[in-house]
Amino acid sequence: MNCAIFAIGNEILEGSITDTNSTYLAKHLTDLGFKIVEIKALPDNKEILVDNFTYALKNYDLTITTGGLGPTFDDLTAETVALAANREFIFYEDVYKSIENKLAVRGVKIKESHKHQAYLPKDAILFQNDKGTAVGFCVENSGSLIISLPGIPYEMKHMFENYVVPFLKNRFDLKPIYKKDLKFIGIPESDVDEAIINTEKSDDTEVIINTSKGMIIVRIRSYNYEKLMAFAEKLKDKLNKFYFGEDDDTLESVILKKLIAKNITISTAESCTGGLIAKKLTDIPGSSKSFLGSIVSYSNDAKNNILNVSKETLEKFGAVSEECCKEMLTGCKKIFNSDIVIATTGIAGPDGGTKDKPVGTVFVGINMKDKVFIKKYLFNGDREAIRERTANIAFRNLLELLSE
Amino acid sequence: MNCAIFAIGNEILEGSITDTNSTYLAKHLTDLGFKIVEIKALPDNKEILVDNFTYALKNYDLTITTGGLGPTFDDLTAETVALAANREFIFYEDVYKSIENKLAVRGVKIKESHKHQAYLPKDAILFQNDKGTAVGFCVENSGSLIISLPGIPYEMKHMFENYVVPFLKNRFDLKPIYKKDLKFIGIPESDVDEAIINTEKSDDTEVIINTSKGMIIVRIRSYNYEKLMAFAEKLKDKLNKFYFGEDDDTLESVILKKLIAKNITISTAESCTGGLIAKKLTDIPGSSKSFLGSIVSYSNDAKNNILNVSKETLEKFGAVSEECCKEMLTGCKKIFNSDIVIATTGIAGPDGGTKDKPVGTVFVGINMKDKVFIKKYLFNGDREAIRERTANIAFRNLLELLSE
């Protein structure tokens, strides 16, 4: 079953927003058993939209579009799908009534332009929108389907999960593909490549390698579950020393799982990461079982008053120093009394660098079982990259300590 | 100048990663004066890649690709560009020497597979990679260019900024398009639409409307700067009450600008947001001028010990209550002595909800000039959405208070 995904909106083509809807749809459609052959961003342009929908109806089993269903003049999806599918473009009285009701509840004054969202291709299958006013719809032309969904991510996801997935399962005879991602750290990509090439695999097993933030992800895909798992196990054995997790695992989720299993608590004292490490840990459901809290000490006063970093240390060595990092660990340990403490202090930039301590200078400290491990780093990249790498290296160092 | 952007890799088509490279390139190429006519994700498949490159060389002035330049068996970009452009695919001795040197510095053992990255189309223009081993390259066929860049974002960005942009500026006679984004909050999309339709604009001015996280963004584009600004000013005047910023402004950046200008300090006490508000504030360079720090009090003990939330309050009303939120504000104010304090406490889920306090129940408090403003919310959505909305509503409430 071949499937295309179109994200509609000039804002994507000019780079003003990142299209995350297509990622979401690609993942879930792949899991359902569709083969995604095209992901494309299309502009708010009548001719280009009609051309692409016409092509899609001739070539794909299924096309899913997001965006262009709003009430404004630049929303063209319904009209252009009707044109491509040779359907009349008509006013749905029921759809309009439901829009009127939703707007009344929100206290929005009904305007002539609101009628726009009630014009849809004739004889379309409709998908209700529980989170907004734009209804979704499906039209079919000689076996090929176009399904159009709203562009606002939470409206789209809710509609897709609740109405589109059941519809697709009912409509198509799908054969799911099995997936297994293995994640490694501390090993070069070329070594993983070599291990894969030298591991026996069946012809119907596909393997690709990705690198991301110092990790290597090996993605294995097959219609045969046993063969998939056999290959995965063989590769895991070969590279066991560097393996840390699979599928949706992240460094922080693997750490939290270990901590919760062993009843170990953790807290953080953050300067340059400014709450990022706490945010990453608390992104994970259930993190409160192990994560006690964080002191984000962004000023020297806060380091001194809250974490009890001595004024002498701040004056003599500065806030970005091994000494300060050490005292932050001690102060944080005292406050939360957690088994493990992570502390970060550094210069994320773009300003604040000096000759001795250029932008990117970061100290990452861990206190575990009253042993202190502090390392100094000099990271490349912009503010965001430096903060992100600081958080990742802290997790990586902690994972190593936990594995010892 | 028509331009296409291709992101290469099966991992994008199956939704395992979001393609942010194309967003970055689309933004910067648009700013340079290119018209992006196509953004597309392509699989690691020789035939499909050759087809798309062949089409691109016939139809576009410029095509930029990311990904598929790594050392592994599934990296096919260089080989398929060579095929589409009818070039020999040859070994570049100099490129290999430089890869060898880089790997030696990193302590990686040289393998036969490393030679892969030194095979490139003949007579290509090369772009050096200061952050990794994959070199970028450009081939030209009768006036149409394909430029291939690595897929790792920081390698790609560094190469693009430092080597590709100067090359493009030199090679093309570009006419930049002017852009102005206006951002509004607290007004329905349809009202903004009506205001736009009723505001006089020249034919060469393009306008689109986007909604994002409760904000409305009006994107205005024109080759004529005066006409663009005239339209923007008229619209701003009409919707002045709802206008809060432009272009790269975010709620938090606008708040920080106001705070820094007035010498006002801020701190946060975060429970359910777990550091997210601190993270968003410290994402902004220069935030240390106003942001003093945060207490992420994820456990009841931390709320009691650090923020001095009374045990009676925690027992009688629970951590997710107006009373707790109020005491968090007081405790945080005492610790940081900041002019403004934000406090959040709520249930982000997926577990922890009760009949009285379902998942999504959140209290957001602000202390400003010793006046306390606490509001209760019930948010829809998953853990991430609830945390994101809590942070945004806190910023929105604060912005309103600051504007009074």
Side-chain angles (χ1 to χ4, degrees):
Chain A
M1 292 294 158
N2 283 338
C3 174
I5 299 171
F6 294 156
I8 297 161
N10 289 349
E11 66 276 15
I12 303 167
L13 287 157
E14 62 165 45
S16 293
I17 68 160
T18 298
D19 165 32
T20 56
N21 284 338
S22 297
T23 310
Y24 170 89
L25 289 170
K27 182 173 180 351
H28 287 86
L29 290 164
T30 302
D31 285 348
L32 283 171
F34 288 96
K35 173 102 187 154
I36 313 301
V37 291
E38 181 162 80
I39 295 179
K40 209 170 175 179
L42 297 172
D44 303 305
N45 176 303
K46 208 178 265 192
E47 202 182 321
I48 294 176
L49 290 174
V50 172
D51 280 358
N52 275 280
F53 295 152
T54 306
Y55 181 88
L57 282 169
K58 278 198 194 115
N59 292 281
Y60 306 129
D61 299 304
L62 172 68
T63 302
I64 301 218
T65 77
T66 59
L69 297 184
T72 67
F73 58 87
D74 57 5
D75 289 301
L76 301 168
T77 304
E79 184 181 348
T80 49
V81 167
L83 280 168
N86 277 314
R87 302 272 179 116
E88 278 178 69
F89 187 54
I90 62 162
F91 185 71
Y92 282 63
E93 194 66 44
D94 289 358
V95 170
Y96 184 61
K97 283 272 172 286
S98 130
I99 292 172
E100 267 190 332
N101 289 339
K102 283 178 190 175
L103 292 171
V105 169
R106 286 200 237 152
V108 176
K109 225 179 85 195
I110 312 288
K111 294 213 161 69
E112 188 58 29
S113 65
H114 284 121
K115 285 199 172 159
H116 187 60
Q117 285 185 307
Y119 278 93
L120 298 167
K122 199 180 169 185
D123 295 329
I125 297 162
L126 302 187
F127 302 109
Q128 73 184 72
N129 186 342
D130 299 329
K131 304 284 176 187
T133 53
V135 298
F137 60 88
C138 172
V139 300
E140 177 166 353
N141 255 19
S142 37
S144 170
L145 273 62
I146 295 186
I147 294 180
S148 294
L149 305 176
I152 295 175
Y154 71 91
E155 295 184 17
M156 183 280 288
K157 287 180 191 175
H158 188 272
M159 189 183 289
F160 181 77
E161 273 172 35
N162 290 283
Y163 306 111
V164 179
V165 169
F167 170 79
L168 292 174
K169 281 186 174 166
N170 188 41
R171 177 67 176 70
F172 291 95
D173 183 27
L174 297 164
K175 188 181 159 199
I177 191 162
Y178 297 100
K179 313 203 288 188
K180 180 59 68 187
D181 292 350
L182 302 181
K183 301 189 179 184
F184 303 92
I185 199 153
I187 177 173
E189 188 179 4
S190 50
D191 286 12
V192 177
D193 184 51
E194 196 178 66
I196 291 171
I197 289 170
N198 295 326
T199 304
E200 197 193 335
K201 74 171 178 57
S202 63
D203 283 347
D204 51 5
T205 304
E206 256 183 56
V207 183
I208 57 173
I209 309 179
N210 292 150
T211 55
S212 170
K213 294 170 188 166
M215 293 184 300
I216 312 277
I217 307 171
V218 177
R219 304 183 194 279
I220 313 164
R221 307 291 179 257
S222 177
Y223 287 105
N224 184 318
Y225 183 73
E226 281 71 33
K227 286 182 182 167
L228 172 106
M229 290 309 288
F231 178 81
E233 286 305 321
K234 267 185 255 168
L235 192 66
K236 228 162 98 174
D237 281 350
K238 265 189 200 174
L239 303 173
N240 190 39
K241 223 182 108 190
F242 309 100
Y243 170 80
F244 76 87
E246 60 177 34
D247 300 333
D248 291 335
D249 288 341
T250 58
L251 283 172
E252 53 267 33
S253 77
V254 171
I255 286 171
L256 262 179
K257 225 180 286 170
K258 281 181 192 254
L259 296 184
I260 291 170
K262 293 180 186 170
N263 225 350
I264 297 174
T265 56
I266 185 168
S267 65
T268 67
E270 304 188 43
S271 187
C272 63
T273 45
L276 177 63
I277 296 179
K279 186 254 174 205
K280 280 177 180 275
L281 288 170
T282 58
D283 277 341
I284 302 162
S287 44
S288 61
K289 290 190 193 96
S290 168
F291 176 70
L292 302 183
S294 174
I295 305 294
V296 181
S297 54
Y298 218 57
S299 63
N300 277 359
D301 274 357
K303 288 184 186 75
N304 175 242
N305 293 339
I306 309 171
L307 290 170
N308 211 20
V309 175
S310 75
K311 283 189 178 154
E312 294 69 41
T313 295
L314 291 168
E315 270 160 33
K316 196 169 160 194
F317 302 105
V320 180
S321 65
E322 186 173 340
E323 290 77 7
C324 178
C325 187
K326 197 174 164 185
E327 292 182 29
M328 287 171 74
L329 286 173
T330 309
C332 190
K333 171 95 189 175
K334 209 169 160 190
I335 290 170
F336 290 101
N337 196 25
S338 59
D339 303 310
I340 294 173
V341 179
I342 295 177
T344 61
T345 182
I347 304 160
D351 303 318
T354 61
K355 211 186 139 193
D356 284 350
K357 294 175 187 172
V359 168
T361 305
V362 174
F363 290 87
V364 175
I366 294 173
N367 178 319
M368 190 161 102
K369 297 179 193 160
D370 289 320
K371 277 189 193 154
V372 170
F373 307 84
I374 298 178
K375 284 189 187 170
K376 184 182 177 178
Y377 298 92
L378 181 59
F379 293 121
N380 280 320
D382 59 12
R383 185 177 176 85
E384 191 191 337
I386 290 167
R387 281 155 54 91
E388 190 69 30
R389 273 172 221 181
T390 302
N392 280 328
I393 210 86
F395 291 136
R396 196 174 146 180
N397 292 351
L398 177 54
L399 194 59
E400 268 178 32
L401 288 174
L402 288 171
S403 307
E404 275 169 12
Chain B
M1 292 295 160
N2 284 338
C3 174
I5 299 170
F6 295 156
I8 297 161
N10 288 350
E11 65 276 17
I12 303 168
L13 287 158
E14 63 164 46
S16 293
I17 69 159
T18 299
D19 165 31
T20 55
N21 284 339
S22 296
T23 310
Y24 170 89
L25 289 170
K27 182 173 179 354
H28 286 86
L29 290 164
T30 302
D31 286 348
L32 283 173
F34 288 96
K35 174 103 186 153
I36 313 300
V37 291
E38 183 163 78
I39 296 178
K40 211 171 177 178
L42 298 171
D44 302 306
N45 175 302
K46 209 177 264 192
E47 202 183 321
I48 293 177
L49 290 174
V50 172
D51 280 356
N52 274 279
F53 295 152
T54 307
Y55 181 88
L57 281 169
K58 276 197 195 115
N59 291 280
Y60 305 130
D61 298 304
L62 173 68
T63 302
I64 302 220
T65 77
T66 58
L69 297 184
T72 67
F73 58 87
D74 57 5
D75 290 300
L76 302 167
T77 305
E79 183 182 346
T80 49
V81 167
L83 280 167
N86 277 312
R87 302 270 179 118
E88 280 177 67
F89 186 54
I90 62 162
F91 185 70
Y92 282 62
E93 194 66 44
D94 288 359
V95 169
Y96 184 62
K97 284 270 171 289
S98 129
I99 292 172
E100 268 190 331
N101 288 338
K102 283 178 190 174
L103 293 172
V105 169
R106 287 200 235 151
V108 176
K109 222 178 86 196
I110 311 289
K111 294 211 161 70
E112 188 58 30
S113 65
H114 284 121
K115 285 200 173 160
H116 187 60
Q117 285 185 306
Y119 278 92
L120 298 168
K122 198 181 169 186
D123 296 328
I125 296 161
L126 302 187
F127 301 110
Q128 72 184 72
N129 186 343
D130 299 330
K131 305 284 175 187
T133 52
V135 297
F137 60 88
C138 172
V139 299
E140 178 166 353
N141 255 18
S142 40
S144 170
L145 272 61
I146 295 185
I147 294 179
S148 294
L149 305 177
I152 295 175
Y154 71 91
E155 294 184 18
M156 184 279 289
K157 287 179 191 174
H158 187 271
M159 190 184 288
F160 182 77
E161 272 171 36
N162 290 283
Y163 305 113
V164 179
V165 169
F167 170 78
L168 292 174
K169 280 186 175 167
N170 188 41
R171 176 66 177 69
F172 291 96
D173 184 24
L174 297 163
K175 188 179 158 199
I177 192 161
Y178 297 100
K179 313 204 286 187
K180 178 61 68 186
D181 293 350
L182 302 181
K183 301 189 177 183
F184 303 92
I185 198 154
I187 178 173
E189 188 179 3
S190 50
D191 287 11
V192 177
D193 184 50
E194 195 178 66
I196 291 171
I197 289 169
N198 295 325
T199 304
E200 198 193 334
K201 74 171 178 56
S202 61
D203 284 347
D204 52 4
T205 304
E206 257 184 54
V207 183
I208 56 173
I209 309 179
N210 294 149
T211 55
S212 169
K213 295 169 189 168
M215 294 184 299
I216 311 278
I217 307 171
V218 177
R219 304 183 195 278
I220 313 164
R221 307 292 179 254
S222 177
Y223 287 106
N224 183 318
Y225 184 73
E226 280 71 33
K227 287 180 180 167
L228 172 108
M229 291 308 288
F231 177 82
E233 285 305 321
K234 268 186 255 170
L235 192 68
K236 228 163 98 176
D237 281 350
K238 266 190 196 171
L239 303 173
N240 190 39
K241 223 182 108 191
F242 309 99
Y243 171 80
F244 77 87
E246 60 177 33
D247 300 332
D248 291 334
D249 288 343
T250 58
L251 282 171
E252 53 267 34
S253 77
V254 171
I255 285 171
L256 261 181
K257 225 181 286 170
K258 280 182 193 255
L259 296 183
I260 291 170
K262 293 180 184 170
N263 225 349
I264 297 174
T265 56
I266 185 167
S267 65
T268 68
E270 305 187 42
S271 186
C272 63
T273 44
L276 178 62
I277 297 180
K279 186 255 174 204
K280 280 178 179 276
L281 288 169
T282 57
D283 277 341
I284 302 162
S287 45
S288 61
K289 290 191 192 97
S290 168
F291 176 71
L292 302 184
S294 175
I295 305 294
V296 180
S297 54
Y298 218 57
S299 64
N300 277 0
D301 273 356
K303 287 185 186 76
N304 175 243
N305 292 341
I306 309 172
L307 289 171
N308 211 20
V309 175
S310 76
K311 282 188 179 158
E312 293 71 40
T313 296
L314 290 169
E315 271 161 30
K316 196 170 161 194
F317 303 104
V320 180
S321 66
E322 186 173 340
E323 290 76 8
C324 178
C325 187
K326 197 174 163 186
E327 293 182 30
M328 287 171 74
L329 286 174
T330 309
C332 191
K333 170 95 189 176
K334 210 169 159 190
I335 290 170
F336 290 101
N337 196 24
S338 59
D339 302 311
I340 294 173
V341 179
I342 295 177
T344 61
T345 182
I347 304 159
D351 304 317
T354 63
K355 211 186 138 194
D356 284 350
K357 294 174 188 172
V359 168
T361 305
V362 175
F363 291 87
V364 176
I366 294 172
N367 178 319
M368 190 163 101
K369 296 178 194 160
D370 289 318
K371 278 189 192 155
V372 171
F373 308 84
I374 298 178
K375 285 189 186 169
K376 184 183 176 177
Y377 298 91
L378 181 59
F379 294 120
N380 281 319
D382 59 10
R383 185 177 175 86
E384 191 191 337
I386 290 167
R387 282 155 54 90
E388 191 68 31
R389 271 172 221 181
T390 303
N392 279 329
I393 210 85
F395 290 136
R396 196 174 145 180
N397 292 351
L398 177 55
L399 195 58
E400 267 178 32
L401 288 173
L402 288 171
S403 306
E404 273 169 12

